[in-house]
Amino acid sequence: MKVTKRVVTCIVCPKGCRIDVEINNGEITSIKNYDCKRGIDYAKSEVLDPRRILTTTVKLSTGRVLPIRTIEPIPKHLLKKAMVELKDKIVVPPVKVGDVIAKNIVGTGVEVIATANAK
């Protein structure tokens, strides 16, 4: 039986609660020091399935770069693979904010969109 403890700083609101999470054999057995239910939900997801929005840039055919992001968080462990997948992508203008730059990034079903216009 392997019991581990983690302290998760909640980012759901400005309070920044430092939530104590105890994990036993891959399952959460205790969550303490939270101020709201949203903190509990955040701590659970951060411990069991951490996800992040990927923000980066891709090359434009004009030689400049285009800022992009995923439309929703992807598993944290896939961020580097997503960056590799986007590394050689070259986008031809015109591009508008919200245009889809890549679909199904690293098999997640998540789209990557432009966050700026390019002429």
Side-chain angles (χ1 to χ4, degrees):
M1 171 168 56
K2 183 178 181 187
V3 177
T4 58
K5 294 182 181 185
R6 283 197 47 199
V7 177
V8 175
T9 302
C10 184
I11 61 169
V12 176
C13 78
K15 287 176 111 176
C17 295
R18 294 185 47 82
I19 303 170
D20 296 314
V21 182
E22 190 172 283
I23 306 116
N24 186 350
N25 291 325
E27 292 189 25
I28 296 174
T29 55
S30 171
I31 298 178
K32 298 178 183 171
N33 298 329
Y34 56 89
D35 281 347
C36 65
K37 183 182 181 324
R38 293 184 312 169
I40 295 172
D41 294 340
Y42 177 78
K44 284 180 182 177
S45 68
E46 187 61 19
V47 168
L48 298 177
D49 185 24
R51 292 175 173 261
R52 300 290 185 272
I53 296 279
L54 172 65
T55 58
T56 188
T57 58
V58 291
K59 297 172 189 166
L60 287 167
S61 61
T62 60
R64 302 189 80 177
V65 294
L66 176 72
I68 59 171
R69 71 172 176 86
T70 55
I71 60 169
E72 60 188 70
I74 63 173
K76 187 177 175 182
H77 72 275
L78 293 177
L79 289 174
K80 287 183 183 176
K81 284 184 180 180
M83 294 289 287
V84 169
E85 191 172 300
L86 294 166
K87 177 178 69 100
D88 296 324
K89 182 124 183 110
I90 297 175
V91 178
V92 178
V95 180
K96 292 182 182 174
V97 171
D99 283 355
V100 175
I101 302 303
K103 294 183 179 183
N104 193 25
I105 192 75
V106 290
T108 61
V110 176
E111 294 179 337
V112 176
I113 61 168
T115 59
N117 298 321
K119 294 181 181 182

